[in-house]
């Protein structure tokens, strides 16, 4: 089995040299190696690939497809060295990912979330300010929480009020201009942070009270705690509000404002896609069908155009 693990490491090294990060792929393939060891198998077969891909029972079938696609690419590579390798055919698990309908936070819920964060136990006086500022930034910019968490000091221009998001999802970087009010809040936070943490252990903009960057799991657990405190719930049978839904709310609210004000959405949506860091404009158009109010506004506008058509 050492041979299979060596092959996986070699495969990952070659592809990473081409610019692919493959963090999840590496984790999945090492998991597959563990699976083969338990099965006492030394090469990839179609049946073993299917068994492994569909192992997590409590997940969307699209997740199985993702796992199988990762393994298929490796199997194609491996087949050149081991002719016994069976490459799973395309379409073997033809499932597509279905996006979860976003939870639409109200303005009051956003305010309650931020106010609740300001009450977090904070021995040095920084934790509460860190999380209230962090969640507030997500709400008003639509940034991914991983992007905000990875911001470094040099990425936050406190003079011009511009954030630089580097190598985010899909390897894209972008500039995020800030509203004056957001700029002021970040400036106040930076002043407080530097007064409390004189010798930080990390270049991160958002710091814990230990002077380190924010741990993703601590961010999740803190959000869940605050969510329960303010009574955020979803209808029965649906997932509760997520951190990522703050991004969904920003995108949807922006589109609602454009439609309500009668502006040319087609002209502005490309700019919104760039601001959000979407890989393609199709990801931004998804929001048009995600919220009933947006669909109604679109329908009304289309009906209005049809009425004036000679």
């Amino acid at each position: 089995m050492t041979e299979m693990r060596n092959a996986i490491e070699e495969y990952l090294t070659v592809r990473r040299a081409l610019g692919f990060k493959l963090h999840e792929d590496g984790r999945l393939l090492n998991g597959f190696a563990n699976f083969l060891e338990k099965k006492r198998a030394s090469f990839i077969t179609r049946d073993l690939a299917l068994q492994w891909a569909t192992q997590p029972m409590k997940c969307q079938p699209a997740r199985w497809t993702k796992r199988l696609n990762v393994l298929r690419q490796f199997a194609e590579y491996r087949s050149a060295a081991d002719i016994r390798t069976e490459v799973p055919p395309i379409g073997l698990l033809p499932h597509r990912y279905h996006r979860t309908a976003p939870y639409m936070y109200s303005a009051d819920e956003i305010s309650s979330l931020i106010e609740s964060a300001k009450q977090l136990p904070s021995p040095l006086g920084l934790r509460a300010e860190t999380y209230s500022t962090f969640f507030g930034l997500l709400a008003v910019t639509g940034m991914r929480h991983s992007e905000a968490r990875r911001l470094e000091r040099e990425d936050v221009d406190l003079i011009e009020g511009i954030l630089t998001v580097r190598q985010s999802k899909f390897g894209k970087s972008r500039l995020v201009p800030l509203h004056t009010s957001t700029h002021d809040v970040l400036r106040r936070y930076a002043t407080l942070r530097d007064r409390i943490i004189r010798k930080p252990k990390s270049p991160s903009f958002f710091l814990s009270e230990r002077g380190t960057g924010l741990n993703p799991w601590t961010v999740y657990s803190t959000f869940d705690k605050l969510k329960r405190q303010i009574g955020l719930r979803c209808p029965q049978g649906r997932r509760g509000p997520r951190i990522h839904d703050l991004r969904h709310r920003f995108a949807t609210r922006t589109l609602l404002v454009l439609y309500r004000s009668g502006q040319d959405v087609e002209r502005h949506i490309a700019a919104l896609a760039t601001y959000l860091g979407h890989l393609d404009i199709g990801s931004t158009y998804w929001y048009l069908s995600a919220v009933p109010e947006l669909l109604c506004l679109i329908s009304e506008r289309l009906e209005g155009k049809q009425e004036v058509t000679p």
Side-chain angles (χ1 to χ4, degrees):
M1 187 48 63
T2 301
E3 183 180 356
M4 182 63 72
R5 291 192 181 277
N6 287 341
I8 290 172
E9 188 60 35
E10 182 183 80
Y11 166 76
L12 293 171
T13 299
V14 169
R15 293 202 64 202
R16 284 168 178 162
L18 296 173
F20 297 96
K21 295 181 179 179
L22 303 182
H23 297 310
E24 184 179 15
D25 291 41
R27 181 180 60 79
L28 290 174
L29 290 175
N30 281 309
F32 177 69
N34 293 335
F35 172 80
L36 285 186
E37 288 177 356
K38 291 178 181 177
K39 293 290 184 178
R40 296 185 178 181
S42 58
F43 59 93
I44 303 170
T45 67
R46 171 175 165 167
D47 287 343
L48 287 172
L50 270 176
Q51 287 180 45
W52 173 78
T54 57
Q55 256 188 354
M57 300 303 294
K58 295 181 179 180
C59 70
Q60 287 193 29
R63 181 62 183 168
W64 298 341
T65 303
K66 165 69 175 176
R67 288 165 61 88
L68 189 61
N69 286 342
V70 169
L71 182 56
R72 179 186 298 110
Q73 292 182 65
F74 169 66
E76 290 174 345
Y77 173 86
R78 180 62 180 159
S79 63
D82 187 346
I83 60 173
R84 299 174 299 173
T85 302
E86 297 178 9
V87 179
I90 295 174
L92 192 58
L93 291 175
H95 299 290
R96 293 185 177 182
Y97 175 70
H98 297 285
R99 285 191 172 190
T100 303
Y103 178 85
M104 295 304 298
Y105 295 95
S106 68
D108 287 343
E109 287 172 338
I110 297 290
S111 296
S112 295
L113 179 70
I114 294 172
E115 288 303 314
S116 184
K118 289 181 179 179
Q119 306 306 315
L120 285 168
S122 192
L124 299 181
L126 183 63
R127 180 171 179 247
E129 290 300 321
T130 292
Y131 281 102
S132 62
T133 305
F134 181 82
F135 292 132
L137 182 65
L138 299 184
V140 300
T141 63
M143 295 175 67
R144 300 177 180 94
H145 54 85
S146 59
E147 294 172 343
R149 186 171 44 79
R150 289 198 299 262
L151 283 174
E152 296 188 355
R153 293 175 184 232
E154 64 178 17
D155 300 328
V156 183
D157 187 336
L158 293 174
I159 298 175
E160 299 296 332
I162 297 176
L163 306 180
T164 301
V165 178
R166 303 180 191 277
Q167 294 295 306
S168 186
K169 192 174 182 181
F170 311 115
K172 298 185 70 174
S173 298
R174 69 187 189 280
L175 300 178
V176 178
L178 302 173
H179 188 273
T180 304
S181 59
T182 305
H183 180 195
D184 291 342
V185 171
L186 291 183
R187 193 160 44 202
R188 286 196 298 271
Y189 170 76
T191 300
L192 176 67
R193 176 203 64 202
D194 293 345
R195 188 170 68 242
I196 295 174
I197 307 295
R198 300 298 181 103
K199 296 181 179 180
K201 301 174 184 177
S202 166
S204 297
F205 181 79
F206 289 106
L207 294 179
S208 70
E209 294 201 335
R210 294 175 298 171
T212 60
L214 300 183
N215 179 285
W217 301 113
T218 304
V219 171
Y220 285 128
S221 62
T222 301
F223 177 81
D224 286 340
K225 176 182 178 181
L226 296 174
K227 183 176 69 174
R228 290 192 295 271
Q229 283 181 355
I230 65 175
L232 273 178
R233 295 286 188 275
C234 254
Q236 190 171 5
R238 291 185 57 188
R239 293 177 61 182
R242 305 166 300 166
I243 298 178
H244 199 65
D245 288 328
L246 293 170
R247 175 174 168 85
H248 292 323
R249 178 186 186 273
F250 174 85
T252 304
R253 294 289 300 176
T254 301
L255 290 169
L256 282 170
V257 168
L258 291 173
Y259 269 103
R260 288 169 178 167
S261 60
Q263 297 189 54
D264 184 352
V265 177
E266 296 292 329
R267 185 166 63 86
H268 289 285
I269 201 165
L272 178 59
T274 301
Y275 188 88
L276 291 170
H278 283 158
L279 180 63
D280 56 66
I281 202 169
S283 298
T284 316
Y285 272 113
W286 172 77
Y287 289 104
L288 298 180
S289 61
V291 178
E293 186 178 354
L294 265 174
L295 285 175
C296 290
L297 290 170
I298 295 168
S299 176
E300 290 172 2
R301 181 171 292 192
L302 288 175
E303 289 175 0
K305 288 182 177 179
Q306 290 173 357
E307 289 176 1
V308 299
T309 301

